[in-house]
Amino acid sequence: MTERTVSESPAMAPATGGSGPRDEPQVEVDRRPWGSFERFTHNEPTTVKVIHVAPGQRLSLQRHRHRDELWVALDPGAVFEVDGERTLPEVGERVFIRAGQTHRLGSSGPAVRVLEIAFGHFDEDDIERLEDAYGRA
């Protein structure tokens, strides 16, 4: 027997860039006799990465014009910053970042991994760095 439920990520502000606002993805949970799985996308173009952040480091403060992103904390110690709001997510906690929103990912101490699913046109050149500890802004 299969049981499906849908859970939503916390709502974020409307998109300010890209090809227009898209619906925030709904995560479908499919329960099976052996456990369950979460489906983050289904038959749509996306780019999926696992980002590894070294102990105590952080990425640049940035924004994108052409893509939204969904982050999922995979390890304790991740730090999510979206539009100036800093959170320390629990493992499995999600945040949806609209195109145009400023965001930064970091580590509060330990090495951390974060699942990133990008929706829209993905191009590393779409990064607008606003602040960067490595001189790339």
Side-chain angles (χ1 to χ4, degrees):
M1 179 200 281
T2 300
E3 175 187 336
R4 289 187 177 89
T5 58
V6 175
S7 73
E8 297 181 20
S9 300
M12 301 299 287
T16 57
S19 60
R22 82 179 84 250
D23 289 338
E24 183 171 341
Q26 295 196 356
V27 178
E28 184 176 303
V29 178
D30 201 330
R31 300 194 191 290
R32 302 292 174 101
W34 45 261
S36 65
F37 63 84
E38 294 175 304
R39 182 175 318 156
F40 294 93
T41 68
H42 186 76
N43 295 334
E44 65 180 288
T46 56
T47 301
V48 179
K49 301 191 298 187
V50 174
I51 300 172
H52 298 256
V53 182
Q57 299 299 304
R58 65 183 185 171
L59 284 70
S60 61
L61 179 66
Q62 57 188 255
R63 64 180 159 221
H64 311 289
R65 287 186 300 272
H66 303 292
R67 69 179 186 258
D68 298 328
E69 294 177 344
L70 175 67
W71 288 350
V72 183
L74 300 178
D75 297 308
V79 179
F80 292 173
E81 182 182 327
V82 179
D83 281 345
E85 185 177 326
R86 187 174 184 264
T87 60
L88 302 171
E90 298 291 326
V91 171
E93 193 171 336
R94 302 182 292 264
V95 66
F96 187 65
I97 303 157
R98 297 275 186 196
Q101 287 187 294
T102 60
H103 57 282
R104 182 191 326 245
L105 174 60
S107 160
S108 65
V112 297
R113 296 167 304 140
V114 172
L115 174 68
E116 176 186 274
I117 303 172
F119 300 86
H121 179 73
F122 187 91
D123 183 347
E124 289 291 346
D125 291 334
D126 185 33
I127 298 172
E128 179 187 356
R129 289 189 174 87
L130 306 169
E131 291 177 12
D132 184 63
Y134 309 104
R136 299 173 297 165

